[in-house]
Each structure stands twice: as C-alpha cells, then as structure tokens.
Amino acid sequence: MQHRRGQVREPRPGYIEVAFNGAPAGIPLDAQFSAPAKGVTAVFGPPGCGKTTLARCIAGIQHLPSGFCGVDGEIWQNETTFRPPHLRPVAYVFQRPILFSHLSVKRTLLYNASKSRATLIDFDGVVKLLDLAPLLDCSPSHLSGVQRQRLALGSALLAQPRLLLLDDPLIVLDRPAKHEILPFLERMREELTLPMIYICHDMADIERFADHLVMMKDGMVTAAGPLQVVQSDPALAARGEAAVCVDTVVGGYDGRYGLIIARLRGARLLIPGPPLRPGAQLRLRIAATDVSIVRETPRASSFLNVFPARIKASLPFDESEVTLVLALETGRSGVPLLARITRRSFDVLGLSNGMDVFAEVARALPVSPPERLLITPATPLGDALQRSADTRNEQKSDHGHDRQF
C-alpha cells in the first residue's frame, strides 16, 4: 500500500491499512502495510526496529500528522482526521499489564465490562474463554505472570474493541509460562471475530498462530502478506532456521501405519501421529532442511510426501549451501515451500530458476501440541478410520484429483 502526502484515501471494509512516516521521539518510521481485518497479523523484527512505535501510532497514542490509519472501512487518521485514543475502538495489551491491586480479578473485569455494551463477548464468556473462574476473588498482586496476562486480556476484551493490539505480551515470560498462555491466544483467535495485531520478536510464537506477517527493519516495513508467503520471501528464506508453515485440514487417519492424513489444497500429506478429529485445522511447519530435490519422479523412496514443484528462486545461503524457493504444482498450485541443499547438489542436478522438479518432504511437524485435536468419544476412532483409510474414495479436489507419491 502506497500513501502520498496530500492524497485523501478511502479505507476499505475488511482491511487494516496503515501508513506512517516520521521520526517520533527521534526514531525514524516509514511503515506501510495492508492486512485483512480478521485473524492475527504479527509484526516481527529485531529490538528497536519500530514495532512498538507502529503499534502506538495505530492506537493513536503517538500522533504523526502525515499518517494514515483505516480499520475495516473506518478512518482513524488521515490528512484531515485524527481520532484520539479514547475514541478508537482499540484495546492495547502491554508487555507488563497495568492492573489495580486494590480491585479483585472480578471487580477488575466488571469495571471494564460496565463501560461498553457487550457486542464481542460478555463477562461470563471472558471468564470461560480465559479460565478465570478460580481467580475471581484474588488480588492481581497475588497472580503469576501468566495469570496477570490472562486478566489483562480479559479486561481488554470486555472493552468490546474492534481491534486488539498485543505489544509483545509474552516477552517477560519464560518458555514454560509462554507454553501455558499460548493456548489461550489460540482460543481467542479461533472463537472471536476480532482482528489482532501481535507485536513479537519470536518467530516460533508467530508460526504457532499468526495468519499474516509484517516484517520490519530499521523503522521500515520490508515485507507483508500471508504468513507462508512472507516466510518464502528472501528476507526470511535466507535465515538459518528457514521454514514455511502450511495450514492443512485433517482428512482422516491411516490406523494401520499410524499416519495422520492432512489435506492441503488438493495435495495430501501423511504425518506420523495420533488420530485427530477429521475436519480439524492443523498447521504444519516444514523446515527448509527437511526438503530435498529430485529431477524425476521417484520410483521407490522412503519419503511419504513427494510433490511436483517449480523452482521460483535460488538464494545463496553460505559457501556450501543454497536455499530454493519452491511453489508446489499439485492441485491448486502455488503453495510455497523452501529447500536447503548443497551447492554441489544444485550444480550436479543442473538446477535453475523456473525448472520443474519434485520436492521430497522428510518431516512436517505440528506447530502446537495437537492434544485439543485428538479423537474424542464423540468421534469414534472406527468412524475416523472408515472415513479416511481408503484415500482413493476421498472427495476429489477442485481439479478432480489429489496428488500424493
């Protein structure tokens, strides 16, 4: 999204659009992006790159006169308009929650709930969503770090916002505490029709539940788009831990071999693991180092997942390795994938950009523990096996076939 001074923009319904240029508090900022007004948009970058400044501008806490901010068809800021923070339907959750120690958890929640009519979620819904019932009579000063963040999230939701800003709320938590609170963030994403902007410096957290990704460096947005698309951008593909996350749907279970059948835009992946609910959403992380390349269709291979693909770009990684940006050419084509191979393999195979190849996926791992997706008594295992063991009878893709080698 480009934004010129003197140009009056009309915000688009269904999108969050921002363009800020200036140097508030001496920190240069030149940040422009557009993202859907749904799901989670993560803003990623090193410390000091301007992530929090961008969030403060969106919230109206920081005012850049030349900025633009439109949320789901409403103008929050342009050349002639500036809504102050208290007039923006936005809730801001800080790294360290600001809570009143003289109010109990229940009174803290009710204080915020009394200010707005419940249009997003009510008091009982927040208590259930964030498992706050055991804490209602406690003082915030007696809560753990995770509990304080859950209370802060609950208070923010009861303000009935149309946008939730999360300013790296997990940065003060250790790894076990982060694992404890991440399921609550995932639950919010799944159950609420509330767009969230999540400021974060940890790619592992972003991979777990973000839908879109905005990359920042030195005050500038360097890339923005759907998570898997930005992950295949050179800015991330060249990283040592390069990977792509793909969102799949559980198609069933092969009980004979203990394999989850995951469907991906007309393609099918076989993943070792316990039986999961058919139809459940399952995000998988495929590391570049777990993908190899062959020129011809393998006639016999130990790889369960081999897909036709096209080389979109080749990026030097170091003196001995190259990162390939691939697009799967199966079903509805275009799903991005990365492969990290040696320069020698690149030359011996005679690879080049635009070439059609086959990508062998050695491993695809769920980004979050799949316990909540396990087969429940309401979904008998026998029914799941019956639905999916014979993949030849599965529903055909939009192109009339599935591809799996």
Side-chain angles (χ1 to χ4, degrees):
M1 181 188 77
Q2 297 298 320
H3 177 65
R4 299 184 180 91
R5 292 185 180 182
Q7 176 187 18
V8 177
R9 292 187 52 90
E10 290 297 327
R12 294 183 295 166
Y15 289 90
I16 299 169
E17 300 174 290
V18 303
F20 296 106
N21 184 276
I27 302 175
L29 186 68
D30 183 11
Q32 306 178 33
F33 73 87
S34 175
K38 62 179 181 180
V40 178
T41 296
V43 182
F44 174 78
C49 71
K51 302 188 298 296
T52 293
T53 302
L54 174 62
R56 289 170 59 86
C57 288
I58 294 173
I61 300 172
Q62 191 79 51
H63 183 199
L64 290 179
S66 62
F68 177 86
C69 181
V71 177
D72 198 15
E74 286 189 357
I75 291 178
W76 289 8
Q77 179 180 348
N78 63 8
E79 291 86 346
T80 59
T81 302
F82 179 78
R83 285 193 189 183
H86 66 280
L87 295 181
R88 300 189 184 200
V90 59
Y92 199 127
V93 177
F94 298 89
Q95 295 176 1
R96 298 183 183 276
I98 302 173
L99 303 170
F100 298 110
S101 59
H102 66 285
L103 296 179
S104 66
V105 168
K106 182 177 182 178
R107 291 180 62 193
T108 299
L109 294 172
L110 290 174
Y111 176 80
N112 286 300
S114 64
K115 297 180 179 180
S116 306
R117 182 172 61 88
T119 55
L120 174 70
I121 189 171
D122 60 14
F123 176 87
D124 291 336
V126 162
V127 170
K128 180 179 179 181
L129 181 69
L130 297 171
D131 193 21
L132 294 172
L135 309 176
L136 291 178
D137 294 329
C138 298
S139 166
S141 61
H142 296 155
L143 301 181
S144 68
V146 171
Q147 292 169 340
R148 289 173 62 85
Q149 284 293 9
R150 282 159 50 199
L151 174 56
L153 290 170
S155 296
L157 294 179
L158 287 173
Q160 312 302 324
R162 293 182 57 190
L163 175 65
L164 180 62
L165 280 171
L166 303 172
D167 190 358
D168 221 345
L170 309 186
I171 193 172
V172 297
L173 304 178
D174 57 22
R175 180 55 62 179
K178 290 176 68 172
H179 283 307
E180 184 180 341
I181 198 171
L182 277 170
F184 291 99
L185 294 176
E186 290 175 323
R187 192 181 303 173
M188 288 169 52
R189 171 183 174 269
E190 293 169 358
E191 298 186 15
L192 300 178
T193 57
L194 173 66
M196 292 179 259
I197 293 180
Y198 179 47
I199 309 298
C200 187
H201 73 289
D202 191 332
M203 183 55 66
D205 296 342
I206 290 172
E207 290 177 341
R208 181 156 172 172
F209 77 107
D211 301 292
H212 280 69
L213 178 58
V214 176
M215 296 280 295
M216 289 192 69
K217 183 179 181 181
D218 299 329
M220 297 185 64
V221 170
T222 57
L227 174 63
Q228 60 182 216
V229 173
V230 178
Q231 285 182 309
S232 62
D233 184 274
L236 276 181
R239 296 170 69 238
E241 298 180 357
V244 168
C245 292
V246 294
D247 290 317
T248 69
V249 176
V250 176
Y253 193 69
D254 185 341
R256 181 180 179 184
Y257 295 108
L259 298 171
I260 301 166
I261 301 172
R263 302 174 66 86
L264 171 67
R265 296 192 191 181
R268 191 175 67 250
L269 287 89
L270 301 177
I271 311 299
L276 306 181
R277 296 195 310 271
Q281 301 289 323
L282 180 65
R283 176 169 291 184
L284 300 172
R285 183 181 191 271
I286 303 176
T289 52
D290 287 329
V291 179
S292 60
I293 301 297
V294 292
R295 288 285 303 272
E296 299 178 355
T297 307
R299 295 185 177 180
S301 172
S302 63
F303 288 94
L304 296 177
N305 303 297
V306 183
F307 306 102
R310 177 166 295 175
I311 300 176
K312 307 297 289 186
S314 53
L315 310 171
F317 178 63
D318 57 22
E319 295 182 355
S320 62
E321 293 183 304
V322 177
T323 302
L324 302 182
V325 180
L326 309 170
L328 297 188
E329 295 294 316
T330 180
R332 284 174 282 170
S333 62
V335 176
L337 205 63
L338 301 175
R340 177 80 41 79
I341 65 174
T342 64
R343 287 177 178 268
R344 184 180 187 278
S345 296
F346 185 88
D347 292 339
V348 169
L349 292 174
L351 302 180
S352 62
N353 295 346
M355 178 177 288
D356 291 326
V357 296
F358 290 88
E360 298 180 320
V361 178
R363 185 170 59 169
L365 299 176
V367 297
S368 60
E371 282 81 1
R372 60 196 178 96
L373 304 180
L374 292 174
I375 295 289
T376 64
T379 308
L381 177 58
D383 293 349
L385 299 182
Q386 182 66 34
R387 288 182 57 178
S388 60
D390 186 357
T391 58
R392 290 170 297 183
N393 293 329
E394 291 179 342
Q395 182 180 3
K396 300 300 182 182
S397 68
D398 289 352
H399 287 256
H401 63 279
D402 282 350
R403 294 294 301 273
Q404 170 64 43
F405 298 86

